[in-house]
Amino acid sequence: MKATLASFQDAFVDALYGRVPHDSRVVALMDQPGFAVYRNTVFQGCVDALEANFPAVVRLVGEDWFRAAAAEYVSLSPPTETRLLRYGQNFPDFLASFEPAKSLSYLPNVARLDYSWVEAHVAPDDRHVTVIDLTAWPPQQAERATLRVHPSARWHWFADEPAYTIWRANREGADIPDDLVWEGEGALLLRPSSNVVWQPLSIGACAFLDACAAECDLESATRRALEREPEMDLGQCVSTLLTAGAIAEIKVRDAVS
Amino acid sequence: MISPRHTNIALGAGVGLKPQHYEDAYAVEQGELWFEVHPENYMVDGGPRLAWLEMIRGRHPLSLHGVSLSLAAEQEPDATHLQRLKALIDRVEPALVSEHLAWSAWRDHYHPDLLPFPRTQDALLRVAANISRTQDTLGRRIAIENPTHYLTITGHDWSESDFFREVIRRTGCGLLVDINNVFVSAHNLPIDPIAYLDAIPSDAVMEIHLAGHSVDANGALWIDSHDAAINEGVWHLYRYLIDRIGPRPTLIERDGQVPEFDVLLGERQQAQSLLDRRISMDAMA
């Protein structure tokens, strides 16, 4: 094989990740102590980025366990883009199939909330509307309005476990509450102004936001929310979302507020 | 909108901007102080990082120092990355833009380091083409930083200084001389640091970097870790270089064990004093 720049680079990457390099120039480098400097820097850079992006997971499992798991993830899924502040999008899925994490069923969902924080943190800035903006519309027009969800908003429903309470305690550096009830929970994270904020969310409210994101009008979003949570107080739910800053815009047919 | 008032002033000594210093950097009174950041950390759609950068840019000149354009990879710079860089440049109007003579992004992955390569004729053509494409896209001249070396690579067709000279001749780019990289490489390879500095095409130098380094666990290699105060040997080489080529914008870099802002300002003042001394030498001549 011709010794090209590309073959050097392919071989160097193979050597970094512990595979056999197919370029004699790189083979000659692996015995030098300096090669480990590059390998350490690459892995440390990736693991540091994951540690920064998944702080609640780190607190739950401890730094040593986390860094060992993260190094395995780096080997399988090196960064695909240069912005490491977004690295780890499928780290939660990796944790879900990671044998040593099997006993921690909630860990992948805690990781999903950490990653939602990352996404909210770097999302576009946008305005948000208030309850007054919505109530300004006559009910018949409001029913046909669509609510545009704030671009920083991320929400999840976790059917099987209190992943939000566990995440929140670890994110805030607090203890898990003694009265923790092992049941499904939802969560909303968003950045209405400069800081990412979070709050619990009911299954109906999650369905409502899903419907808004799918550009359903208010009437149809309400129907979908009530299908999931028949006893919910829809007015209270909409008011909570508006107060949180989760709605960027009210779009009424032929009019925008 | 940011006023372009800073873009053409002569820069003295500046400091690498870390998020833990945003408030200090915004509040500091020295208007001539400038800051440098890695653009990759600000290639975001919105949020507090970008807001801080714009606020600080409103009061101080800024330099964007890229780490991931991967100019020495045998592929074109990523078009999306270049567009994001261009958008950030349009937004903050930096006084300087720089990158490294290294590769990191390769095929579909990013390996976060500044990786080495044999300086072959093919590599020279590729690096020159990548720099030209970058400068054409950004619509401005960029400075390229000399790498730190940890390996003795065989198969170089060019010495590093001749490689830089030829790349500069072909592309019109500038140089960013990292004195710590020279100092650390001089120990690791070894090379003669004075001979290296003497071979630098002085007219092309747009910026100088100063940083600290560490010794690896085995004690054999020095590591360009940016996690310590600037070494006396680095200060000595700095003085040597500016005595030869004249004063240039000089940055204090610190990425690990980041001290209080005032400590960095102290190192920055040390560099500024050497620059002032060099300027007065010219005035007396």
Side-chain angles (χ1 to χ4, degrees):
Chain A
M1 190 170 70
K2 189 172 179 291
T4 60
L5 182 56
S7 72
F8 180 89
Q9 282 158 345
D10 284 333
F12 202 95
V13 169
D14 282 338
L16 283 177
Y17 289 86
R19 300 184 293 264
V20 178
H22 297 288
D23 187 305
S24 59
R25 295 170 297 178
V26 172
V27 173
L29 301 178
M30 293 176 68
D31 288 338
Q32 297 181 38
F35 192 80
V37 176
Y38 292 104
R39 185 181 278 153
N40 291 346
T41 304
V42 168
F43 273 76
Q44 191 177 324
C46 295
V47 170
D48 285 352
L50 292 171
E51 193 172 332
N53 290 348
F54 295 93
V57 177
V58 175
R59 189 167 182 268
L60 267 170
V61 300
E63 189 170 353
D64 291 346
W65 194 100
F66 182 89
R67 292 188 75 89
E72 291 227 13
Y73 173 74
V74 172
S75 298
L76 294 168
S77 306
T80 53
E81 69 151 311
T82 57
R83 299 176 300 172
L84 289 180
L85 51 101
R86 299 189 71 107
Y87 182 42
Q89 186 167 21
N90 54 7
F91 185 61
D93 296 336
F94 163 82
L95 288 176
S97 60
F98 187 50
E99 197 57 39
K102 272 278 157 27
S103 62
L104 306 173
S105 63
Y106 48 85
L107 201 60
N109 285 336
V110 169
R112 285 185 184 102
L113 289 168
D114 270 341
Y115 199 76
S116 291
W117 189 99
V118 167
E119 291 185 314
H121 186 63
V122 299
D125 301 319
D126 207 336
R127 62 188 172 136
H128 49 89
V129 292
T130 64
V131 176
I132 295 165
D133 295 319
L134 184 61
T135 52
W137 292 99
Q140 283 183 331
Q141 265 189 301
E143 275 188 354
R144 295 200 308 276
T146 55
L147 305 185
R148 183 168 66 80
V149 181
H150 195 277
S152 73
R154 299 291 182 276
W155 58 95
H156 300 270
W157 175 254
F158 305 114
D160 301 324
E161 60 211 1
Y164 170 69
T165 302
I166 297 169
W167 173 81
R168 180 185 168 179
N170 284 284
R171 188 82 198 193
E172 295 175 357
D175 294 332
I176 303 282
D178 291 335
D179 58 354
L180 179 70
V181 180
W182 206 265
E183 61 183 14
E185 276 184 349
L188 170 67
L189 288 85
L190 76 164
R191 203 194 74 239
S193 51
S194 60
N195 295 320
V196 179
V197 296
W198 44 85
Q199 61 182 62
L201 208 60
S202 74
I203 188 170
C206 287
F208 183 82
L209 282 176
D210 286 341
C212 291
E215 297 183 15
C216 296
D217 65 20
L218 202 46
E219 186 188 15
S220 146
T222 301
R223 200 171 56 244
R224 291 196 190 191
L226 289 171
E227 281 168 10
R228 296 301 301 275
E229 190 182 343
E231 69 280 18
M232 82 184 286
D233 179 343
L234 212 285
Q236 181 62 43
C237 164
V238 173
S239 164
T240 302
L241 291 174
L242 286 164
T243 305
I247 305 302
E249 189 182 0
I250 301 164
K251 294 177 170 178
V252 180
R253 193 179 299 174
D254 302 327
V256 169
S257 168
Chain B
M1 282 301 291
I2 288 158
S3 114
R5 66 197 156 94
H6 289 307
T7 29
N8 293 316
I9 68 162
L11 300 175
V15 174
L17 179 63
K18 311 306 289 182
Q20 56 267 51
H21 294 154
Y22 283 155
E23 289 183 31
D24 292 326
Y26 182 67
V28 70
E29 290 296 331
Q30 298 160 268
E32 73 283 9
L33 173 61
W34 59 279
F35 292 103
E36 185 164 284
V37 296
H38 299 315
E40 290 81 359
N41 292 337
Y42 297 88
M43 291 181 178
V44 292
D45 295 321
R49 276 172 178 263
L50 209 46
W52 270 114
L53 190 68
E54 290 197 306
M55 277 171 61
I56 291 165
R57 172 64 188 92
R59 301 187 56 165
H60 299 275
L62 197 64
S63 163
L64 297 182
H65 181 52
V67 293
S68 66
L69 207 44
S70 203
L71 293 170
E74 196 164 327
Q75 62 189 17
E76 290 178 357
D78 180 70
T80 308
H81 183 100
L82 270 183
Q83 284 310 320
R84 287 190 184 121
L85 181 57
K86 174 88 165 71
L88 188 62
I89 287 170
D90 289 346
R91 194 158 179 162
V92 300
E93 298 179 329
L96 289 165
V97 177
S98 55
E99 250 292 347
H100 293 82
L101 183 64
W103 59 284
S104 53
W106 173 235
R107 301 203 190 275
D108 297 326
H109 289 114
Y110 172 56
H111 311 288
D113 197 0
L114 301 164
L115 300 171
F117 62 98
R119 290 181 301 270
T120 58
Q121 182 65 19
D122 284 353
L124 184 125
L125 297 177
R126 169 52 75 179
V127 168
N130 285 349
I131 291 172
S132 291
R133 172 171 289 259
T134 300
Q135 294 187 137
D136 289 348
T137 306
L138 302 182
R140 63 187 293 157
R141 186 184 185 208
I142 62 171
I144 308 297
E145 177 176 332
N146 56 302
T148 309
H149 294 287
Y150 302 98
L151 292 169
T152 302
I153 295 178
T154 53
H156 292 306
D157 296 335
W158 297 78
S159 73
E160 192 162 288
S161 52
D162 286 346
F163 191 94
F164 268 124
R165 251 174 226 285
E166 186 60 17
V167 166
I168 290 162
R169 192 184 69 77
R170 286 169 183 253
T171 68
C173 73
L175 261 181
L176 191 172
V177 180
D178 187 309
I179 305 272
N180 185 56
N181 292 359
V182 175
F183 191 71
V184 168
S185 300
H187 171 85
N188 290 342
L189 285 186
I191 55 167
D192 174 0
I194 296 291
Y196 186 94
L197 294 182
D198 284 345
I200 283 171
S202 49
D203 290 348
V205 180
M206 296 169 71
E207 183 181 346
I208 298 173
H209 273 182
L210 301 173
H213 57 269
S214 55
V215 178
D216 86 334
N218 300 324
L221 289 168
W222 290 354
I223 312 291
D224 175 32
S225 47
H226 297 185
D227 60 355
I230 295 162
N231 178 286
E232 202 46 51
V234 171
W235 283 118
H236 174 77
L237 290 180
Y238 175 57
R239 218 158 121 153
Y240 181 86
L241 181 68
I242 60 171
D243 278 358
R244 182 169 90 74
I245 69 170
R248 298 301 151 91
T250 301
L251 183 86
I252 308 299
E253 278 187 304
R254 180 68 78 91
D255 294 310
Q257 309 286 330
V258 177
E260 295 292 307
F261 188 62
D262 285 348
V263 176
L264 296 182
L265 283 189
E267 288 196 308
R268 183 254 170 204
Q269 187 50 51
Q270 201 172 338
Q272 187 62 52
S273 299
L274 292 170
L275 288 172
D276 292 343
R277 172 187 154 278
R278 181 63 183 78
I279 291 165
S280 64
M281 276 165 58
D282 277 346
M284 285 187 299

